[in-house]
Amino acid sequence: MKRPLRCEFDLDFRGTLGIAKDAPVGFRDIRLKFLLDTDAGREQLDKLLQLTERYCVVYQTLRASPPIKVELAA
């Protein structure tokens, strides 16, 4: 059975596990691939991808890199 979504990423576990201080913590590249079972034409699929990128909250958040504040609660 084929899966409708495939997610691939580059991650250096040495940084995440604290093994190498010079290794980055977190994902470096994220790739999403969608498998759609549809009769839609290329133009429709391109438009779908464009709209998905435009309105996907997670995609836009990762892409824009908003400021993040971390603090201890009193």
Side-chain angles (χ1 to χ4, degrees):
M1 180 174 105
K2 291 186 178 181
R3 305 226 185 269
L5 171 64
R6 189 165 90 195
C7 178
E8 300 172 348
F9 53 86
D10 295 331
L11 174 67
D12 188 339
F13 282 103
R14 296 175 309 142
T16 302
L17 297 174
I19 296 170
K21 292 185 188 232
D22 62 328
V25 176
F27 299 108
R28 287 183 301 179
D29 290 303
I30 301 171
R31 294 171 299 281
L32 300 176
K33 297 180 182 183
F34 298 93
L35 175 64
L36 303 176
D37 183 11
T38 179
D39 292 330
R42 186 79 240 168
E43 277 186 34
Q44 289 174 305
L45 293 173
D46 289 342
K47 186 66 174 179
L48 175 63
L49 184 58
Q50 176 189 14
L51 292 172
T52 300
E53 289 177 352
R54 171 70 180 96
Y55 295 106
C56 177
V57 174
V58 175
Y59 175 85
Q60 288 298 330
T61 301
L62 290 171
R63 189 168 181 257
S65 255
I68 298 174
K69 183 177 181 180
V70 179
E71 61 186 35
L72 295 174

